Every structure is written in C-alpha cells, then in structure tokens.
Amino acid sequence: MNLMNNEKRYNSLNNYLRAKFSSKIFKVSLNANFTCPHMSTGGCTFCLEGSGNFAGKITDDLKTQFTKIKNNLHQKWPTAKYIAYFQANTNTLGELDYLKKLYEEALTLDENIVGLSISTRPDCLTDELIEYFKTLSQKTYLTIELGLQSIHDVSLELINRGHNYLDFERAVEKLRAKNINVIVHIINGLPNETKEMMVNTVKKLNSLDIQGIKIHLLHLMKNTVISEQFLQKPFEILTLEKYVEIVCNQLEILNNKIIVHRLTGDSPKEMLIAPLWSLKKFVVINEIDKEMRRRGSFQGCLE
C-alpha cells in the first residue's frame, strides 16, 4: 500500500470501508442500556458514568435510535450504508442468549447494514461469547472494540482501569484465534505518561495481531475523579502542538496494515474542562495531516 499517494498518509477507516464495500459507510451508535462492571469499584477515573456520550437515547428502542441517527447522517451522505455500533458502556454484559438476541436484532434494523461493531472491555469476554462471535463474523463484518488506554500497568492502576495489560493481551489472543477483528482504544495524555511511553504503547501493539486502532486524548470532564485529582495536584494537559507531535510519532511506527479508526476524541461541550482545543475536531485532524505532509512521512515509515 502506497500511503504517500493516498488522500491521507495513514490507513484511514473511511478509505478502508469505501474500498471494502464500494460505498460510503458510517457507524450508527446505539445505546442498549448496558452498564459497566467496574462502576462498583469506582470506575475509570476519566469516565463520566460510563462511555458512549454520543450514542442513541437510552429511552428509545434500538429501531428508533437507529432511524433517528441514520436519517440525520443521511443529510450529509444520502447513499451511504451502515455499521450498527453498540457503543455505550460494556456491550458484552449479560446472558449469552440475551446478547445473541440483541446483536441479531441489530442486523435486522435496516437492509443496508453491512456490519456490526461491539465495544467492550478485555475482562468482559467469555469463551462462549467469543465462540458465538466466530459464527457471527461469518455472516457480517464484525469488529470487537477493546478499551486498553495504555500498555503501562502503572497508568492502568492510576486511572483505576480494573484490568492490566496481560488481561488485554489474552483477550486479543482469544479473539484472533477465532479470526475476529479487534480494534484497540488508547488514550494519549494520561497522568505522568511521557511522550516515549505513549509511543511505546503503539510500538507494543504492533507486536499483536490487531486490525484497527482508535487514538483518543485525555479529556478532563466535570464531575469525574480525574478532574478532582487535577485540581488537587495538577498534571500536564497536552497542548494541541504536543498532541499532534505525539500522534504523528505514533503513526510513523504503526504497522501500515492496521486501520486507523480515530485520531482524536469527543467530549460533551458543556462537560469539558480541558483541553478546550479538542472541541475543534477537524482542526486537530487537519493539523495532524499537515504535520505528516511537512515531515514527508506516512504510517509505518519508521516501523
């Protein structure tokens, strides 16, 4: 793959899906009223009552959620097809029969659904569910998204993640043994992590059989533990310039077969404390693109 000749100097999800399905594909984020098993022990320090702030309304059934979001996105992409995305919280909690029914229902929400994406934690995957995912992946484009955040156990403990790196690695191995696509979430800017530590997280992921990555930045949001910790003992909040530098460094060493699903993150505007520059998502993406062009580099050029 000659990334130097592509619109992006990295293997973007948009380009990958267009090539795979010969169509624009967008994700429809659903909220199936799951919880997080880790909330009973305080949850992740950066989290605001679970993940998935931009998924569908919990008071709507799946069909209503899907239709509302699909119709809104169709205003921009009228001929697009869709991936049903179970985004909010930990979407593998529950009895196997219930989970099967839920996932199968999602695939019937629209005839133009081409795939299913399920977001979860590496410590919330049973062997029976993984075996079912093998069957499900044979009839639709299935991706399982695993929140890791960092390969460094000291960081995972600091943010009260509730699992360690080895738990994550074992989950990836089990999923890939069944040929199930794995997408990994990481966060740049965690307290006390150096630039080298963040780059090493991506370097380590290269050694695993993963198919995609989502790179987020740390958001300080109101009413979270980490925001209170910051007020009591401030730590470095990444500037836009430093974030762009780190992401470009990560892209340069990232295996170019890995699909880049995300290069920044979202936070509800009314809840965000810092960094405020993250609200301008397209500016962040454009600055990353500009820096890659300035360097004359591309994904995997320094792997």
Side-chain angles (χ1 to χ4, degrees):
M1 180 182 300
N2 188 353
L3 293 171
M4 290 291 287
N5 293 329
N6 287 352
E7 173 191 359
K8 299 286 188 180
R9 296 198 171 209
Y10 51 87
N11 198 2
S12 74
L13 178 64
N14 182 58
N15 288 344
Y16 171 77
L17 292 177
R18 278 188 180 275
K20 184 175 180 66
F21 296 104
S22 301
S23 173
K24 169 66 181 178
I25 306 293
F26 60 72
K27 283 186 172 182
V28 178
S29 297
L30 304 172
N31 189 334
N33 199 21
F34 283 104
T35 59
C36 173
H38 188 38
M39 295 304 291
S40 62
T41 56
C44 301
T45 61
F46 57 81
C47 193
L48 185 65
E49 298 180 354
S51 60
N53 295 311
F54 298 99
K57 289 186 178 180
I58 198 171
T59 52
D60 292 336
D61 60 29
L62 291 185
K63 180 65 174 179
T64 302
Q65 289 183 40
F66 186 91
T67 301
K68 285 181 178 179
I69 297 171
K70 177 193 76 170
N71 290 343
N72 183 48
L73 292 173
H74 263 319
Q75 295 178 29
K76 185 174 182 181
W77 300 294
T79 61
K81 296 181 181 180
Y82 337 104
I83 290 173
Y85 179 25
F86 286 96
Q87 181 187 21
N89 298 310
T90 305
N91 295 272
T92 55
L93 288 178
E95 296 295 328
L96 182 59
D97 287 344
Y98 170 74
L99 295 175
K100 286 181 179 180
K101 181 180 178 180
L102 192 68
Y103 304 147
E104 299 287 346
E105 177 188 353
L107 291 176
T108 67
L109 294 176
D110 192 286
E111 62 181 5
N112 287 316
I113 290 177
V114 299
L116 187 65
S117 186
I118 300 170
S119 182
T120 188
R121 293 167 52 93
D123 53 348
C124 293
L125 291 165
T126 65
D127 291 343
E128 293 78 12
L129 181 58
I130 292 174
E131 189 64 36
Y132 166 70
F133 282 156
K134 176 184 177 181
T135 301
L136 190 60
S137 68
Q138 292 168 353
K139 64 179 182 179
T140 193
Y141 173 64
L142 177 68
T143 57
I144 304 301
E145 300 194 12
L146 295 180
L148 169 62
Q149 320 318 348
S150 173
I151 66 164
H152 306 287
D153 283 342
V154 63
S155 295
L156 298 182
E157 184 174 351
L158 185 62
I159 62 175
N160 196 37
R161 182 64 190 163
H163 65 76
N164 59 28
Y165 172 73
L166 186 57
D167 293 329
F168 164 79
E169 194 170 272
R170 287 170 176 163
V172 172
E173 290 173 352
K174 287 184 176 182
L175 288 165
R176 291 306 299 149
K178 304 297 182 180
N179 202 33
I180 299 164
N181 296 314
V182 176
I183 316 301
V184 182
H185 291 230
I186 65 172
I187 295 178
N188 288 332
L190 293 175
N192 304 326
E193 282 212 358
T194 64
K195 177 173 63 176
E196 290 72 24
M197 291 173 72
M198 297 177 222
V199 171
N200 283 339
T201 285
V202 170
K203 189 177 296 185
K204 181 66 173 179
L205 292 177
N206 275 346
S207 68
L208 303 181
D209 183 14
I210 65 169
Q211 287 62 59
I213 189 169
K214 284 189 172 181
I215 302 176
H216 301 262
L217 69 155
L218 177 66
H219 290 103
L220 293 187
M221 293 188 289
K222 297 175 183 177
N223 303 322
T224 58
V225 172
I226 203 166
S227 65
E228 295 299 323
Q229 292 173 338
F230 177 77
L231 291 175
Q232 295 173 14
K233 188 178 180 182
F235 51 84
E236 180 185 11
I237 300 297
L238 296 179
T239 63
L240 173 59
E241 293 73 20
K242 189 163 186 178
Y243 183 76
V244 168
E245 176 192 1
I246 291 168
V247 170
C248 290
N249 290 350
Q250 291 171 323
L251 289 174
E252 287 178 338
I253 65 166
L254 180 66
N255 186 302
N256 65 19
K257 294 181 180 179
I258 295 174
I259 310 303
V260 178
H261 288 235
R262 181 181 285 271
L263 289 178
T264 184
D266 300 299
S267 172
K269 183 177 180 180
E270 68 278 5
M271 299 303 297
L272 184 64
I273 297 173
L276 294 178
W277 56 259
S278 67
L279 292 171
K280 298 180 179 179
K281 183 176 178 179
F282 290 106
V283 171
V284 180
I285 299 299
N286 287 338
E287 289 300 314
I288 292 170
D289 290 342
K290 284 167 56 179
E291 177 62 13
M292 293 294 281
R293 289 194 298 269
R294 187 194 69 78
R295 296 183 182 190
S297 62
F298 51 93
Q299 181 182 337
C301 66
L302 298 181
E303 184 190 355

